Amino acid sequence: MTTFLRASIACVVLAIAHFIYQPPAYGAPGEFLYETGAKIHLSDPHAIARDRDGNIYVTSLTYYTGKETGRSVQVFDKTGKRLYRWGTYGSADGELAYPAGIAVTPNGRVYVAETLNNRVQVFDRSGKFKGKWGAHGAGDGEFDGPSAIATDRTGNLYVCDSGNHRIQVFDGTGRFLRKWGSAGTDDGQFSYPAAVAVDAAGNVYVADSGNYRIQIFDNSGNFLRKWGSQGDGKGEFRSPSALAIDNSGHVLVTDSFTNTVKVFDSTGTFIATVGGPSENQGPSAVLQGSSCTLTETSTWSAQETGESPSLPAQGTSSPSGGATAPRTGNLTTRWDSR
């Protein structure tokens, strides 16, 4: 797997604090509501998803307690309390190798895309293994470094098959449905697609990292529109590594090379830039929903904002631990979107 692909894969962590505060029932946009967590170490977190109950699923390349390490998925409730953990490094059923993407379907099934094992594994919400599909290759249902996975409202799965420069679509059982894309720069072609998201209408947004752009398709793979080019300007990217769509239809794109999140409407019109080198440290993923979670890979902390994307994130603090020690996130700031 290339260094470029590794740098492009989305990576997320829940931020952790030493005390739990009960969140107030309501809050104005931008108002700090609570900080939450416990002393749980997450090393090299990668992807994040939310289920219908609001629980948060985080994939991590290494889980560390001081006694054990391993690749894992961890599940937290809305207050940051850990509910489940599963996975160790390997290729057997239930084992994980570079879990780069995660999605939870409406029926509660959890799908994990593994870059090194070139497969998708299926679990229930407590981590019980339910199935798998995929192998290394370029055929239908085969992968070359899958980097992300997303689900639509019907439970179909969209996988960024990054090394094959395409999107593959499956039903919830892993049955291949369709695919689109090839290597190139034309409309509908890709260069190492890094992230995928589906909006409420079923349109599919792809972070085409090597081409420095976002491409949008209908759910059959028909090209609709695009925006972006290489650079540091408002509609430009250096490494679009993750994206999400909030409940208002804003498209949030992280650019890990410029330490920013750029916000657009669904047509690609630029709205705002959040962060910068002095505010974010390697932002690499966002989580869609009524609030959007931004994570910082260099500090391994998270910031949560509501649906007003022009508000700057606040309230992060430095991680504990030395340069070679497993790091702990510290503070989550959340804006209520009511």
Side-chain angles (χ1 to χ4, degrees):
M1 185 173 55
T2 65
T3 300
F4 179 82
L5 177 57
R6 289 179 183 273
S8 299
I9 292 176
C11 142
V12 179
V13 60
L14 269 181
I16 303 300
H18 294 296
F19 303 97
I20 295 176
Y21 295 89
Q22 293 298 321
Y26 300 97
E31 179 183 352
F32 175 77
L33 294 183
Y34 64 88
E35 58 187 26
T36 181
K39 286 186 176 180
I40 299 170
H41 291 80
L42 286 165
S43 179
D44 209 354
H46 255 61
I48 192 167
R50 180 186 286 119
D51 67 19
R52 62 190 177 191
D53 297 323
N55 297 318
I56 303 295
Y57 297 69
V58 182
T59 71
S60 181
L61 286 189
T62 305
Y63 172 78
Y64 179 83
T65 65
K67 298 180 180 179
E68 59 178 324
T69 61
R71 280 63 176 171
S72 70
V73 174
Q74 298 194 61
V75 187
F76 302 84
D77 68 13
K78 297 175 183 178
T79 71
K81 177 183 177 182
R82 191 175 69 198
L83 304 176
Y84 307 106
R85 181 185 70 84
W86 71 84
T88 57
Y89 181 78
S91 58
D93 294 349
E95 295 180 336
L96 302 169
Y98 216 95
I102 189 167
V104 185
T105 54
N107 66 358
R109 284 287 187 262
V110 183
Y111 295 81
V112 180
E114 298 175 75
T115 301
L116 296 185
N117 282 331
N118 289 293
R119 67 184 180 184
V120 174
Q121 288 199 79
V122 190
F123 303 88
D124 67 14
R125 289 193 282 183
S126 66
K128 184 177 180 180
F129 174 80
K130 292 294 183 179
K132 65 182 178 182
W133 73 86
H136 185 257
D140 295 347
E142 296 178 332
F143 303 107
D144 184 11
S147 60
I149 188 169
T151 183
D152 63 19
R153 290 186 172 184
T154 68
N156 288 333
L157 285 307
Y158 299 75
V159 180
C160 273
D161 187 5
S162 188
N164 285 322
H165 311 284
R166 65 184 181 181
I167 301 296
Q168 293 197 70
V169 188
F170 305 87
D171 68 13
T173 68
R175 180 171 64 94
F176 173 82
L177 298 178
R178 55 190 173 274
K179 64 185 177 184
W180 67 87
S182 60
T185 59
D186 291 339
D187 294 347
Q189 293 186 313
F190 301 109
S191 176
Y192 298 101
V196 60
V198 184
D199 69 14
N203 295 319
V204 182
Y205 293 68
V206 180
D208 186 8
S209 269
N211 288 324
Y212 313 101
R213 64 186 180 184
I214 306 300
Q215 294 197 71
I216 301 91
F217 306 85
D218 66 18
N219 61 10
S220 296
N222 297 308
F223 174 82
L224 298 177
R225 57 189 177 274
K226 65 183 177 183
W227 70 82
S229 58
Q230 186 176 12
D232 299 323
K234 292 181 178 180
E236 298 174 332
F237 305 104
R238 292 289 183 180
S239 178
S241 56
L243 56 83
I245 303 162
D246 71 14
N247 286 351
S248 297
H250 299 122
V251 181
L252 296 90
V253 183
T254 68
D255 192 329
S256 56
F257 282 12
T258 60
N259 296 313
T260 58
V261 175
K262 294 183 178 180
V263 186
F264 305 86
D265 68 16
S266 60
T267 68
T269 300
F270 175 81
I271 296 175
T273 296
V274 178
S278 63
E279 297 178 47
N280 298 326
Q281 296 297 317
S284 56
V286 282
L287 175 64
Q288 66 190 57
S290 60
S291 61
C292 289
T293 303
L294 162 66
T295 63
E296 302 182 55
T297 58
S298 295
T299 60
W300 293 12
S301 60
Q303 305 176 46
E304 237 183 318
T305 66
E307 291 187 282
S308 181
S310 62
L311 289 173
Q314 305 177 41
T316 54
S317 59
S318 299
S320 61
T324 59
R327 303 190 181 202
T328 304
N330 292 280
L331 183 65
T332 297
T333 301
R334 182 182 181 190
W335 283 269
D336 190 40
S337 61
R338 293 178 186 78

